[in-house]
Structures are given as structure tokens and as C-alpha cells.
């Protein structure tokens, strides 16, 4: 669509067509008056048979024409019909005054008719034609017969007929053109709307493949949608954990959303699962059409794909990192256990033999060596358990946690109570690893930051889910200075999400902290 | 004695240690449970000294097979693992004793004699740990609370909010709040942490979840 065509179509806008027949007056109102002046100058004044009466009447009608033209701005509709009438009367009187059959008058009659026809108003044209017909009758009505010969007034009748046909034809052509222009405008608007939509969708589609930053992609989506819907504000909300939504991307005026009309809300759906919503707020007094809703749904579907993809990639990366980490820890733990542990064990046995053979002096040295080796062996065992307790693989989550709670108590003096409901079957190893690491990390946090004297770890089934509650009686923290994602919380959250669970944390200054993990059991 | 351990150095050391005692003698050694079952099948040990963590089959898993192969022998587990779960599992599988490797030089000989004489031997600190673990599994007692209140208490301890409790027990949120208030008042508890500790102490968290909406029959 080139710009010239666009310009033409814009000029022929339906809004302007609706304002007719009033508008052209403003530019062309004085055309008939100028024509009259020309008639006076060229046709009338050289004539020999001027009749002062008719000249006077023509002057009055001419003045009325000018007055009507001048009043066009204030009384457009009255002028549209009044001025041609006054003009025709003027021409009729002029013809009487001239008393002849000068063919120049034919042209004068046609001027307002063509003009009226161009206005495109059927009523205005009819009025003009009636005025023309009346002008022919004036001499008969006033004086019984015109001053000019019959051939001339017959000519007037023919003229009226010709003017009528010409007027109707022009009117027809004119309105057809206008209709076409209106239709063109409508088609163009629709086409450009669709082309804009396609462009935006295409842009979003390309970005889906090439844009790696989810935030920028979502910004693009809300931006384009807002432009297409001509909305005041478009926002994309994603779950923020704890059942709340956070704004992931927005475009438009964020202010006074409170008093705003209810937004159009479209869900982001992936595999029958709602993963977020797209809100579009209309402008004041505006609304959205069914078309707009469909468009918003299309954009929401694109956004859903993007969010889902990014989450999957993220989960995949986290899973691989976590798997690799566990594998590596397991390997190191095994090596420590097998190599270092067994070597220390054999040294211990060797020391025993040495002790039996040693003299009294060496005995003390052997005893010191022995206690060093025992300490090393214990150290190895502690590190092995921290890295990856064998019990977690062999015995399951509950015995592993039992021992963890106990060793934290032994090593730090924090009283850790661990209570678990018998879980029956073993849990998936991914879940066991995740929960074990969370308790490990959580207890480390309690020891490091909470200044607590007691902590409890509770593990039980509730409904179709496994719930883990880790609480302490420490100093807690305010919602304000909440260590948002510090203290390894981010890592814990990721591990929980990997196994499809959720993590919540509650605390208040001086009220301790409780960490809740819920993992659905399949 | 039959020594089953996947580390040759440890086996050698143990053999030296045992053979140094006048009344003890090593009759065989094996690097795995399977090897013990095949190559050592001919010997008739009184005691099998068994490692837990070994490639292929773990020592504990091999106990039943070893007992079958050497019906006269007592089994003494020697391991680096100090998790009470292993101890419990080994004893349940038919082991007569459990000793940690860090006490190999001081305890093993005593343990072998004890076990060979028909007794049982648990390294003292392991025994204490086992008792502590068992003590944590106290049965629930009836307190001043109604059965429904005990149920609510359990859910509170599990971190459920009032609306969640209401939904689970098919009661209104107001009723759940009333239960919570009444529990706090009856037990003179003030914070959630206190509730949790009470619930733990009462063993409420180990009660399997009951059918919703039906009080238990006394």
C-alpha cells in the first residue's frame, strides 16, 4: 500500500463524507455571487433595454445570495438551500430586466445546479431544480407573460430538463465515487490493521526462536499487544510462589490501576495448565471487541509457549547441574570412604600391632598417633556424610535425616528434634536428595543466622503430599529485611521446583523462622 | 574367623590383629559376599567379620545368604557407617554385633569374643544412639484435647494455614480458627513453634492421617 493511495483514502474519510453538504460552503459560498457580478458586468450593462424594476429586484436577490453565503458559517443548513434559491431568483429577474433571450443566462442557471449536485445531497439538488423551474414560471405568475419571446422561455423549459438530467447524473457519479472511497477506506483500514497484526505476530514469532532473554521477549509481547489493542495498559503476570502473582512485563501507564475498569484477562495455558495471565486495561470509556479478545488470546498463547520453554530449559539446566553435583559428591564420598577411610583403618590396625611390640617410651607416641588417626577417620566419615550420605541411598530419607539432625546437634549444640511419620515405600531418589539437601542447608542457616536454641524437623504425609516443616525458635526476620533469595533459598526453591513441589518461608522478628516444603507424591 | 572386606589392606591388618590373639584364628578371607560364599565355602568359621560398604552387594544385604552358608557362624559387622538405620537393619537381618571401624583396634577383639560366646555386642555409642532414635518414636497419648483438636493440632504443626485446615477437614474457616484458639488456650501455648514442639512431644505427627470428618472410635 503506497503512501499516495493511503493519503487519498484518508482524505475521502467517512467522517468528512458525513459532514456534507455543509462543508463546501465555507470555500465556495461566494462563487455564485462572483458569477452574478460577472453577469452584471458582461451581459447586463451593455444591454439597451434595462428595466430598473427588475434590476432592483435582481439586486435584492443578489444581496440575499451574498448574505446567505456570508451566513454560511453560522447557518450552514439553511444556507445550503436558501442561497441557490436566492441566486436563481436573481438570475430570473436579471433575465426579465434584460428582456432578451441571451444564451448567457443558460450558463448562469447551471452554475448553482452543478454545485448543488457536487454537494452530493439529493435534497439540495431537488431544491435547486425546483428553484430553476420556479424561475421559469416567475414571468408568467407575475405578469402573465414574460417580456422575452416564446422561443426563449421554451428554451428555459428545455434548460430546466437538461439541468435536471445533468444534476441527477452528477449526483449519481458523485455519490458512487464517495461510496467507493468509503469502501476503500474501510478495506484499507482492515488491511492495514491485519497487516500490523501479522507484522507483530511475526515479530513475536521470530523473537520466540531467537530471543534468549525471557524478560525482553515478554516486554515485546505486551508492547505489541498494547499497540494493537490501543489499550491503556497491558501486563503479564506470572506466579511468584506462595500463590501470589508478580508482574513479569508491562506496557502503558501503570498509574491509578485501582480506579480503572476491569481488565480483559486472558490466561496463559500450557498443556491445560495455567501458568500465568495477560491483563489488558482499556482506555477510559473504551472497550475491547471480540476481535481484540482473539488477538489477546493469540498473544497469550505465544507468551505461554515462551514462559514454558524458558521454565523447561531452566529446570533442565538446574536438573543437570544438580545431578552432576550429586554424582560428583557421591564419587568423592566413595573415594574418601574407600581410599582414605580404609587406609586409616589399616593404619589403626597397624598401630595396634606396634603398641603391643613397643617399649614403654614409644607407647605414648603410639597412643597419640592412634588418637590422631581416629580423629582423621571420624573427620573422613563426617565429610563423607556431608558430601553424600551413603545412608540416603541405602536406607532412605528418614534414617539419613535422623542422623543428620543428630550430628548437627552433636557438632553445634543446637537441639534438633527430628520427627518423621513412617513413610512406607521409598521415595523417588530425586525427592529424597532434594529434601535431604534442603534440611541440610536449612539447618546450616539456623546455626549460622538464627541464634536459635531449638529447631525441629517434621516430615509427614498430608493429603497427597509430603510436607517437611523446619522450624527454629531463633530471632527470625522482618518481611522487610527478609533475605529474599539469600541464604541458599534460591537453590532450595529450585530443588523443590525440580520435584514439582513448593517452598514457603514464614518469619517475624523474634518469632523464629519456619520453612515449609510440600512435594506432591505420585 | 572369616573376614569379608573389599579392601585387601584392611583384611591383612585384621588378620594380623586377630592372629595375634592366642585364642583366635583366621580361617579365611574374601573380598565380597559372593567370594565368601564360593571360595570360602569349605571353611567353618565361628564368626564372620563383615564390612557393610562393598561394591556389588552390601554386607548387610548379604547377611541372610552368609547365615545360610555358615549356619554355625555368628556375624559381626565392622563398618564406617554409624547411622542407627544400618545398625537396626543389620541386627534385624541376623547380625550379632556391630562395631565401627574407628574402634577396630580397641573393640573388635572384645566384640569377637563376646559374639563367639553367643552374646551380642554393640559398640556403646551406637547403642546409645539407637536408644535415642527409638525414644523419639513415642506413641501418642490422650491429652486434654478432643480428637478433632488433635487433628487440627497435627495439621497446624505440619504448617497448614487455617483455610487449608478448614478445607482438609471439611469445616469452616471460622471453626478451624476456633479450634486453634481453643488448643492454644487449653495447652497455654502462645506461638506456633510451641504448638509444633507440643505436637512432636505428643507424638501427634506420627499418627497416620485419619479419614476426614470421622472421629476415631475410642
Amino acid at each position: 500500500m503506497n503512501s499516495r493511495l493511503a493519503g487519498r483514502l484518508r482524505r475521502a474519510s467517512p467522517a468528512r463524507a458525513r459532514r456534507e453538504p455543509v462543508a463546501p460552503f465555507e470555500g465556495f459560498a461566494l462563487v455564485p455571487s462572483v458569477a452574478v457580478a460577472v453577469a452584471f458586468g458582461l451581459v447586463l450593462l451593455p444591454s439597451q433595454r434595462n428595466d430598473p424594476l427588475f434590476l432592483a429586484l435582481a439586486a435584492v436577490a443578489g444581496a440575499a445570495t451574498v448574505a446567505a453565503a456570508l451566513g454560511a458559517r453560522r447557518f450552514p443548513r439553511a444556507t445550503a438551500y436558501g442561497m441557490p434559491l436566492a441566486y436563481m431568483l436573481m438570475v430570473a429577474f436579471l433575465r426579465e430586466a434584460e428582456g432578451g433571450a441571451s444564451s448567457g443566462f443558460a450558463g448562469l442557471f447551471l452554475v448553482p445546479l452543478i454545485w448543488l449536485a457536487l454537494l452530493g445531497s439529493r435534497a439540495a439538488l431537488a431544491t435547486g431544480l425546483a428553484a430553476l423551474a420556479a424561475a421559469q414560471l416567475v414571468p408568467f405568475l407575475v405578469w402573465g407573460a414574460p417580456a422575452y419571446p416564446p422561443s426563449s422561455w421554451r428554451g428555459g423549459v428545455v434548460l430546466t430538463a437538461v439541468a435536471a438530467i445533468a444534476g441527477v447524473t452528477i449526483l449519481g457519479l458523485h455519490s458512487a465515487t464517495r461510496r467507493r472511497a468509503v469502501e476503500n477506506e474501510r478495506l484499507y483500514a482492515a488491511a492495514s490493521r491485519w497487516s500490523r497484526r501479522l507484522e507483530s505476530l511475526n515479530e513475536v514469532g521470530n523473537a520466540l526462536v531467537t530471543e534468549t532473554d525471557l524478560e525482553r521477549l515478554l516486554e515485546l509481547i505486551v508492547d505489541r499487544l498494547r499497540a494493537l489493542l490501543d489499550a491503556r495498559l497491558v501486563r503479564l503476570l506470572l506466579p511468584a510462589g506462595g500463590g501470589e502473582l508478580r508482574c513479569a512485563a508491562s506496557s502503558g501507564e501503570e498509574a491509578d490501576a485501582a480506579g480503572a475498569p476491569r481488565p480483559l484477562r486472558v490466561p496463559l495455558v500450557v498443556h491445560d495448565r495455567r501458568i500465568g495471565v495477560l491483563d489488558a486495561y482499556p482506555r477510559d470509556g473504551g472497550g475491547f471487541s471480540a476481535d481484540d479478545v482473539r488477538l489477546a488470546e493469540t498473544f497469550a498463547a505465544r507468551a505461554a509457549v515462551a514462559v514454558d520453554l524458558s521454565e523447561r530449559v531452566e529446570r533442565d539446566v538446574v536438573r543437570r547441574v544438580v545431578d552432576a553435583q550429586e554424582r560428583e559428591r557421591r564419587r568423592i564420598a566413595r573415594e574418601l570412604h574407600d581410599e582414605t577411610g580404609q587406609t586409616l583403618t589399616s593404619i589403626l590396625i597397624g598401630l595396634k600391632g606396634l603398641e603391643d611390640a613397643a617399649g614403654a617410651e614409644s607407647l605414648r607416641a603410639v597412643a597419640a598417633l592412634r588418637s590422631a588417626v581416629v580423629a582423621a577417620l571420624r573427620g573422613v566419615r563426617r565429610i563423607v556424610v556431608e558430601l553424600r550420605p551413603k545412608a540416603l541411598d541405602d536406607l532412605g530419607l528418614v534414617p539419613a535425616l535422623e542422623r543428620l539432625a543428630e550430628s548437627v546437634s552433636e557438632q553445634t549444640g543446637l537441639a534438633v528434634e527430628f520427627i518423621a511419620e513412617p513413610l512406607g515405600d521409598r521415595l523417588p531418589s530425586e525427592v529424597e536428595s532434594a529434601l535431604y539437601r534442603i534440611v541440610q542447608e536449612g539447618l546450616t542457616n539456623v546455626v549460622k543466622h538464627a541464634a536459635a536454641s531449638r529447631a525441629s524437623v517434621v516430615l509427614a504425609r498430608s493429603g497427597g503430599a509430603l510436607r517437611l516443616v523446619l522450624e527454629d525458635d531463633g530471632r527470625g526476620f522482618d518481611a522487610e529485611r527478609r533475605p529474599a533469595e539469600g541464604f541458599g533459598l534460591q537453590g532450595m526453591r529450585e530443588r523443590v521446583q525440580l520435584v514439582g513441589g513448593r517452598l514457603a518461608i514464614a518469619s517475624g522478628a523474634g518469632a523464629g523462622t519456619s520453612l515449609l516444603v510440600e512435594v506432591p507424591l505420585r | 574367623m572369616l573376614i569379608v572386606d573389599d579392601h585387601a589392606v584392611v583384611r591383612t591388618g585384621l588378620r594380623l590383629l586377630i592372629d595375634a590373639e592366642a585364642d583366635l584364628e583366621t580361617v579365611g578371607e574374601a573380598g565380597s559376599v559372593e567370594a565368601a560364599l564360593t571360595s570360602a565355602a569349605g571353611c567353618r568359621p565361628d564368626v564372620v567379620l563383615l564390612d557393610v560398604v562393598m561394591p556389588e552387594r552390601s554386607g548387610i544385604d548379604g547377611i541372610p545368604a552368609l547365615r545360610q552358608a555358615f549356619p554355625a557362624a555368628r556375624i559381626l559387622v565392622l563398618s564406617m557407617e554409624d547411622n542407627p538405620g544400618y545398625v537396626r537393619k543389620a541386627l534385624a537381618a541376623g547380625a550379632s554385633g556391630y562395631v565401627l571401624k574407628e574402634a577396630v583396634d580397641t573393640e573388635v577383639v572384645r566384640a569377637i569374643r563376646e559374639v563367639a560366646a553367643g552374646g551380642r555386642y554393640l559398640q556403646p555409642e551406637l547403642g546409645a544412639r539407637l536408644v535415642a532414635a527409638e525414644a523419639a518414636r513415642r506413641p501418642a497419648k490422650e491429652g486434654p484435647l478432643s480428637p478433632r483438636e488433635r487433628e487440627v493440632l497435627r495439621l497446624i504443626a505440619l504448617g497448614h494455614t487455617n483455610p487449608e485446615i478448614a478445607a482438609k477437614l471439611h469445616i469452616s474457616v471460622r471453626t478451624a480458627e476456633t479450634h486453634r484458639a481453643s488448643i492454644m488456650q487449653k495447652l497455654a501455648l502462645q506461638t506456633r513453634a510451641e504448638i509444633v514442639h507440643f505436637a512432636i512431644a505428643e507424638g501427634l505427627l506420627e499418627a497416620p492421617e485419619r479419614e476426614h470428618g470421622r472421629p476415631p472410635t475410642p
Side-chain angles (χ1 to χ4, degrees):
Chain A
M1 196 81 55
N2 65 36
S3 63
R4 197 137 39 101
L5 177 56
R8 226 163 66 212
L9 286 166
R10 245 196 301 285
R11 273 197 296 281
S13 75
R16 293 197 59 146
R18 255 198 315 279
R19 252 185 285 137
E20 282 173 341
V22 173
F25 268 106
E26 290 167 14
F28 300 104
L30 290 173
V31 170
S33 312
V34 172
V36 172
V38 172
F40 270 110
L42 296 181
V43 183
L44 197 74
L45 294 179
S47 166
Q48 304 297 309
R49 296 184 287 169
N50 293 345
D51 186 322
L53 170 69
F54 292 115
L55 270 178
L57 284 171
V60 171
T65 308
V66 173
L70 292 176
R73 206 173 280 272
R74 283 193 63 189
F75 311 104
R77 200 161 289 276
T79 311
Y81 301 110
M83 198 182 70
L85 283 172
Y87 175 78
M88 299 259 195
L89 278 173
M90 179 186 73
V91 176
F93 291 135
L94 280 179
R95 188 161 66 164
E96 273 314 307
E98 206 251 357
S102 166
S103 56
F105 285 103
L108 290 180
F109 275 120
L110 282 176
V111 170
L113 277 172
I114 290 169
W115 180 54
L116 285 171
L118 281 174
L119 289 185
S121 162
R122 224 168 284 166
L125 181 65
T127 315
L129 286 172
L132 182 55
Q136 307 306 315
L137 292 175
V138 165
F140 295 95
L141 294 173
V142 181
W143 304 284
Y148 43 85
S151 64
S152 187
W153 60 258
R154 276 190 215 104
V157 173
V158 173
L159 176 73
T160 308
V162 169
I165 291 165
V168 168
T169 308
I170 290 169
L171 179 68
L173 284 174
H174 179 75
S175 57
T177 309
R178 209 175 58 189
R179 265 202 309 279
R180 221 169 21 249
V182 170
E183 177 66 10
N184 275 350
E185 165 75 5
R186 203 183 59 74
L187 284 177
Y188 173 69
S192 55
R193 198 164 58 240
W194 277 109
S195 125
R196 274 205 314 277
R197 287 178 177 197
L198 279 177
E199 256 170 50
S200 291
L201 279 175
N202 191 32
E203 195 180 357
V204 168
N206 284 341
L208 269 184
V209 184
T210 54
E211 180 61 75
T212 49
D213 183 355
L214 179 67
E215 206 168 297
R216 281 224 296 277
L217 183 56
L218 297 181
E219 290 292 347
L220 176 75
I221 288 176
V222 295
D223 244 26
R224 293 298 177 271
L225 183 61
R226 192 186 67 80
L228 290 182
L229 295 184
D230 191 29
R232 186 170 63 80
L233 171 68
V234 173
R235 294 200 303 174
L236 198 147
L237 307 173
L238 296 177
E244 279 168 29
L245 291 172
R246 71 183 167 85
C247 180
S250 83
S251 167
E253 312 149 26
E254 192 66 69
D256 59 277
R262 279 164 54 82
L264 164 67
R265 175 163 276 202
V266 187
L268 268 56
V269 180
V270 174
H271 306 309
D272 299 329
R273 196 166 55 89
R274 281 176 64 136
I275 57 168
V277 289
L278 190 62
D279 281 352
Y281 294 80
R283 290 193 184 283
D284 292 336
F288 296 118
S289 67
D291 239 20
D292 291 340
V293 174
R294 270 197 299 280
L295 192 66
E297 281 167 355
T298 311
F299 272 72
R302 297 283 197 284
V305 168
V307 171
D308 181 53
L309 191 67
S310 133
E311 277 178 1
R312 275 210 312 255
V313 168
E314 205 171 304
R315 267 201 303 274
D316 203 45
V317 169
V318 172
R319 176 171 290 132
R320 262 183 292 171
V321 168
V322 163
D323 281 354
Q325 210 175 39
E326 289 293 333
R327 237 189 350 262
E328 188 58 9
R329 283 167 159 238
R330 203 178 270 143
R331 190 186 67 76
I332 298 173
R334 195 172 48 233
E335 225 146 81
L336 266 177
H337 176 276
D338 282 6
E339 303 305 321
T340 321
Q342 304 309 332
T343 308
L344 286 172
T345 304
S346 60
I347 292 174
L348 210 51
I349 299 170
L351 282 176
K352 172 76 175 160
L354 211 58
E355 192 181 54
D356 294 344
E361 286 146 56
S362 323
L363 262 180
R364 275 200 13 232
V366 171
L369 272 180
R370 186 192 172 274
S371 61
V373 174
V374 168
L377 208 48
R378 286 189 176 147
V380 167
R381 193 178 58 212
R382 186 175 54 75
I383 295 169
V384 165
V385 167
E386 257 168 40
L387 278 171
R388 172 81 200 179
K390 190 102 182 51
L392 189 54
D393 293 322
D394 290 349
L395 304 173
L397 181 61
V398 173
L401 284 179
E402 241 165 35
R403 185 72 190 97
L404 175 66
E406 206 179 279
S407 68
V408 169
S409 292
E410 278 167 13
Q411 285 162 28
T412 66
L414 172 77
V416 184
E417 258 176 308
F418 172 69
I419 294 295
E421 192 175 87
L423 295 177
D425 295 340
R426 284 288 296 273
L427 304 167
S429 92
E430 217 182 16
V431 174
E432 290 192 330
S433 289
L435 292 180
Y436 185 84
R437 294 295 179 212
I438 286 165
V439 174
Q440 202 175 19
E441 180 80 33
L443 286 177
T444 307
N445 284 344
V446 172
V447 171
K448 273 196 202 154
H449 308 289
S453 60
R454 292 204 297 180
S456 67
V457 181
V458 172
L459 184 69
R461 275 175 204 273
S462 182
L466 191 65
R467 285 173 85 89
L468 173 86
V469 186
L470 168 59
E471 283 188 303
D472 66 62
D473 61 352
R475 58 170 168 236
F477 48 80
D478 289 335
E480 267 97 73
R481 48 171 225 89
R482 169 193 186 127
E485 295 303 314
F487 295 169
L489 260 183
Q490 178 67 37
M492 290 194 205
R493 211 179 279 283
E494 278 171 357
R495 294 203 76 134
V496 172
Q497 278 163 359
L498 269 190
V499 292
R502 67 187 184 89
L503 179 145
I505 188 158
S507 184
T513 302
S514 71
L515 180 78
L516 168 71
V517 176
E518 192 174 57
V519 178
L521 292 174
R522 267 147 274 157
Chain B
M1 289 294 314
L2 172 63
I3 302 168
V4 184
D5 194 310
D6 57 324
H7 290 86
V9 199
V10 176
R11 284 205 305 272
T12 312
L14 283 172
R15 183 186 272 265
L16 283 172
L17 189 75
I18 289 163
D19 290 346
E21 301 296 318
D23 54 339
L24 303 178
E25 187 199 357
T26 310
V27 295
E29 52 180 83
S32 70
V33 173
E34 271 64 35
L37 293 176
T38 52
S39 69
C43 58
R44 298 166 57 95
D46 295 319
V47 175
V48 177
L49 197 54
L50 182 64
D51 189 13
V52 170
V53 181
M54 287 185 286
E56 295 163 43
R57 193 166 5 164
S58 99
I60 291 175
D61 291 342
I63 290 177
L66 288 170
R67 273 168 62 89
Q68 208 169 5
F70 310 104
R74 317 270 297 167
I75 292 176
L76 177 63
V77 176
L78 176 64
S79 170
M80 264 182 82
E81 303 296 333
D82 65 347
N83 192 305
Y86 284 108
V87 181
R88 214 178 287 137
K89 216 172 151 187
L91 296 183
S96 301
Y98 198 113
V99 177
L100 288 178
K101 280 196 174 167
E102 67 198 39
V104 65
D105 54 340
T106 51
E107 306 259 345
V108 164
V109 172
R110 199 185 327 161
I112 291 173
R113 290 208 177 98
E114 189 75 39
V115 166
R120 285 174 174 270
Y121 188 87
L122 263 190
Q123 196 168 326
E125 56 176 295
L126 280 183
R129 201 165 278 161
L130 201 56
V131 170
E134 298 304 332
R137 301 165 177 248
R138 270 172 302 182
K141 304 191 292 265
E142 289 300 320
L145 301 180
S146 73
R148 178 42 70 86
E149 280 168 350
R150 294 174 69 81
E151 223 166 321
V152 173
L153 179 59
R154 172 185 143 82
L155 292 176
I156 294 172
L158 284 178
H160 287 286
T161 62
N162 282 346
E164 281 173 0
I165 293 171
K168 273 189 168 293
L169 301 180
H170 306 290
I171 56 179
S172 74
V173 178
R174 277 196 66 94
T175 311
E177 282 165 4
T178 312
H179 279 312
R180 184 187 283 248
S182 135
I183 292 166
M184 306 283 261
Q185 200 234 325
K186 275 187 189 177
L187 303 177
L189 300 178
Q190 264 151 26
T191 65
R192 225 190 77 76
E194 287 174 352
I195 292 186
V196 175
H197 285 293
F198 179 84
I200 292 172
E202 288 286 294
L204 269 177
L205 294 165
E206 290 166 84
E209 202 156 324
R210 285 188 288 260
E211 279 296 305
H212 299 318
R214 186 150 35 91
T217 45

